[in-house]
Amino acid sequence: MKKLIIKGMDKRYFPDKIVKWYESNKRSLPWRDTRDPYKIWLSEIILQQTRVSQGLPYYLRFIEAYPTVRALAAAPEQEVLRLWQGLGYYTRARNLHKCAKAVVSLHNGEFPRTYETLLSLPGIGEYTAAAIASIAFKQAVAVVDGNVFRVLSRIFGIDTPINSPEGKKQFTALANELVPTAQPDAHNQAVMEFGALFCTPQNPQCDTCIFQKNCFAFSRKMQQALPVKLKLKASRKRYFYYIVLEHRNSLLMRKREQKDIWLGLFDFHLVEKNRPVKPEKILEEEAVKKMVGNDASITISKNYKHILTHQTIFSRFIIVKSDKKIKHVHQNHSFYSLPQIAALPKPVLVSRFLQEHYVL
C-alpha cells in the first residue's frame, strides 16, 4: 500500500501526545463514563450537527424516557419526534427509532460489535459506526468528523478539500493509520475533543498547543486557510404562508406526510410560493376563501425567518378566528386543543409562532 506523504509532524508521535492531552483536559460527559453501546450510539446521533451544550439536555431526557434500546424501539414514533423537537434534522430522529427497532428485531436487542455490521443498521453511517465500534468495543477504526478534519489538516498540512471524495478518502486513510490498536477509544475521543476545545475553527489556542513545534499550519501561519472546503450551492429560498384556523380554542393542524422537510411533524394549512407575496393575496385564493369564510377575524403575523442547512424559509402566519363551524377542511387536517398541540411534534418555526401567540 502506498504511504501518504505527510508534510507536518511525524505521525508516530501523534497518538501518545493527543491521548495524554485528552486525559488531562477532557470534559466530564455522561456518555464517556460508559461502555454501553446504546448510550454511546444515542449520544453520537444527538450530537451530529449539534453542540454539546445543546445536545446534553436531550441526551439526558432520552435516557430518562428510554433507558434501553428496547424501550426506545417500543415507543410511538410521534412520542420520539416530540422529545426530539428543537434539535432539527428530523430524519435523524426517525432513523434513531428505526435503528432501535432493527437492533431489537435483528440482533435480539444487542448492538453488533463490529464496524462492518454496525454499518448495516438504519441511520448509522461510517462516522457513527466507527464511534460505537471503537468506544464501546475497542475496535481500531478511526472516527472522522469536522473536528478530526481540522486537526489533521492543520497539523499534517493537508490541503485537499475535506468535502471532496478525494479529501474524504485521504483523511480517512490517515486517521486510520494514526489510530492505535491499544487505545482506539481514547484516541478517537481525544482527536475530536482537541478539535472542539483547542484547535477550533476560529482563534485556535496555538500559543499553548502541544503540537506547536510540529504543526504545519502554525509554522506557516495557515490556521485560517486549513482545512480547505469547496463552496456549496447557494441556499434555496422558500416562502411559506400558513393559514391558522382557530375555532373554540382549537387550531386546525395537519401531519406532514409528503417527502419534504419535517416529515411526520405537525404544522398548519400551507400555501407555498416561489417569491414573496402580500398575505392579503393569499386570502384571495379560491381554496383559502372557502376555508376562511366571510365572517372571520383575521390577524397577520410578523415575518419569520428559519434557516436550514440547504434552504431558508420565510414565513407569515395568517390567523383566522371564527365562531362558526369551519367548512371545506382538508381530509388530513384536524382540530386540536392547545394542550393536545403542546404534546404534538412540531417544527421549531411553528413552535416559535405558537409560543409568541398562544403561550405554548
Side-chain angles (χ1 to χ4, degrees):
M1 179 179 175
K2 186 179 178 181
K3 291 290 184 181
L4 293 167
I5 298 173
I6 304 302
K7 307 175 206 171
M9 75 169 291
D10 189 325
K11 63 189 176 187
R12 291 175 297 175
Y13 306 114
F14 181 84
D16 283 344
K17 290 192 75 169
I18 198 91
V19 169
K20 286 179 181 177
W21 176 89
Y22 177 68
E23 289 171 348
S24 300
N25 295 276
K26 66 181 178 180
R27 289 169 289 183
S28 177
L29 298 169
W31 49 85
R32 288 182 176 158
D33 298 327
T34 180
R35 292 279 181 197
D36 185 345
Y38 168 66
K39 292 178 179 179
I40 293 166
W41 163 72
L42 182 62
S43 71
E44 293 297 341
I45 299 298
I46 288 174
L47 293 177
Q48 288 174 21
Q49 298 162 310
T50 305
R51 297 185 305 275
V52 168
S53 59
Q54 182 188 7
L56 177 57
Y58 283 88
Y59 171 83
L60 296 174
R61 286 198 288 270
F62 264 88
I63 290 298
E64 183 179 2
Y66 316 118
T68 66
V69 69
R70 290 185 182 277
L72 177 56
E77 182 185 84
Q78 188 168 309
E79 184 181 288
V80 174
L81 289 172
R82 180 66 183 87
L83 201 59
W84 186 272
Q85 186 176 312
L87 274 176
Y89 304 98
Y90 289 92
T91 300
R92 285 188 293 162
R94 285 187 289 274
N95 283 335
L96 183 87
H97 199 214
K98 288 178 185 176
C99 184
K101 288 177 177 290
V103 170
V104 170
S105 62
L106 301 177
H107 300 280
N108 197 30
E110 299 287 337
F111 273 83
R113 299 179 68 88
T114 67
Y115 171 78
E116 293 76 16
T117 313
L118 286 162
L119 276 175
S120 68
L121 293 171
I124 291 190
E126 295 173 355
Y127 164 82
T128 307
I132 300 169
S134 64
I135 299 170
F137 304 119
K138 289 209 167 192
Q139 185 179 353
V141 57
V143 170
V144 183
D145 71 348
N147 290 314
V148 176
F149 278 130
R150 187 166 57 256
V151 171
L152 299 187
S153 175
R154 287 174 175 172
I155 291 175
F156 293 104
I158 303 174
D159 58 4
T160 311
I162 61 175
N163 55 343
S164 68
E166 183 185 352
K168 183 177 179 182
K169 183 178 179 181
Q170 186 176 2
F171 278 97
T172 300
L174 172 58
N176 276 300
E177 281 194 77
L178 293 171
V179 67
T181 55
Q183 290 181 290
D185 51 339
H187 173 87
N188 278 334
Q189 293 183 89
V191 182
M192 291 189 289
E193 190 80 334
F194 191 77
L197 299 182
F198 217 82
C199 193
T200 52
Q202 304 296 326
N203 304 315
Q205 300 178 48
C206 298
D207 290 343
T208 55
C209 178
I210 58 173
F211 297 109
Q212 186 191 96
K213 292 181 180 179
N214 308 104
C215 178
F216 178 91
F218 178 78
S219 66
R220 293 159 179 81
K221 295 183 170 54
M222 291 182 64
Q223 295 95 321
Q224 297 307 313
L226 294 173
V228 175
K229 191 172 185 180
L230 297 173
K231 289 186 178 180
L232 301 175
K233 292 189 296 185
S235 176
R236 173 190 176 195
K237 293 181 180 179
R238 301 178 71 177
Y239 301 90
F240 284 11
Y241 296 88
Y242 278 119
I243 310 299
V244 184
L245 292 179
E246 179 180 341
H247 179 65
R248 295 181 180 176
N249 294 321
S250 295
L251 304 180
L252 188 71
M253 300 192 77
R254 53 110 189 215
K255 185 178 181 180
R256 293 179 65 92
E257 296 175 345
Q258 68 273 37
K259 286 189 176 181
D260 194 3
I261 57 171
W262 305 332
L263 179 66
L265 305 188
F266 286 76
D267 63 2
F268 305 103
H269 180 78
L270 175 63
V271 179
E272 182 174 356
K273 297 295 182 181
N274 57 16
R275 59 181 179 82
V277 299
K278 292 183 177 180
E280 290 78 10
K281 290 289 184 182
I282 303 297
L283 289 166
E284 293 174 4
E285 295 187 7
E286 197 61 35
V288 176
K289 285 171 69 175
K290 285 182 179 180
M291 291 179 67
V292 172
N294 298 319
D295 302 318
S297 168
I298 296 172
T299 306
I300 297 172
S301 78
K302 67 179 185 182
N303 283 299
Y304 286 83
K305 181 179 179 181
H306 190 67
I307 300 174
L308 302 173
T309 305
H310 301 297
Q311 51 190 290
T312 301
I313 295 169
F314 301 90
S315 182
R316 302 289 293 273
F317 293 81
I318 302 170
I319 306 161
V320 180
K321 294 183 180 181
S322 177
D323 293 329
K324 296 182 179 180
K325 186 176 180 181
I326 297 172
K327 301 178 181 180
H328 304 287
V329 172
H330 293 259
Q331 285 185 342
N332 65 334
H333 292 49
S334 298
F335 278 97
Y336 296 89
S337 67
L338 296 184
Q340 288 174 324
I341 292 171
L344 293 176
K346 304 171 288 293
V348 169
L349 171 63
V350 171
S351 291
R352 283 172 56 202
F353 163 76
L354 289 167
Q355 287 166 2
E356 292 181 12
H357 289 265
Y358 294 93
V359 199
L360 279 184

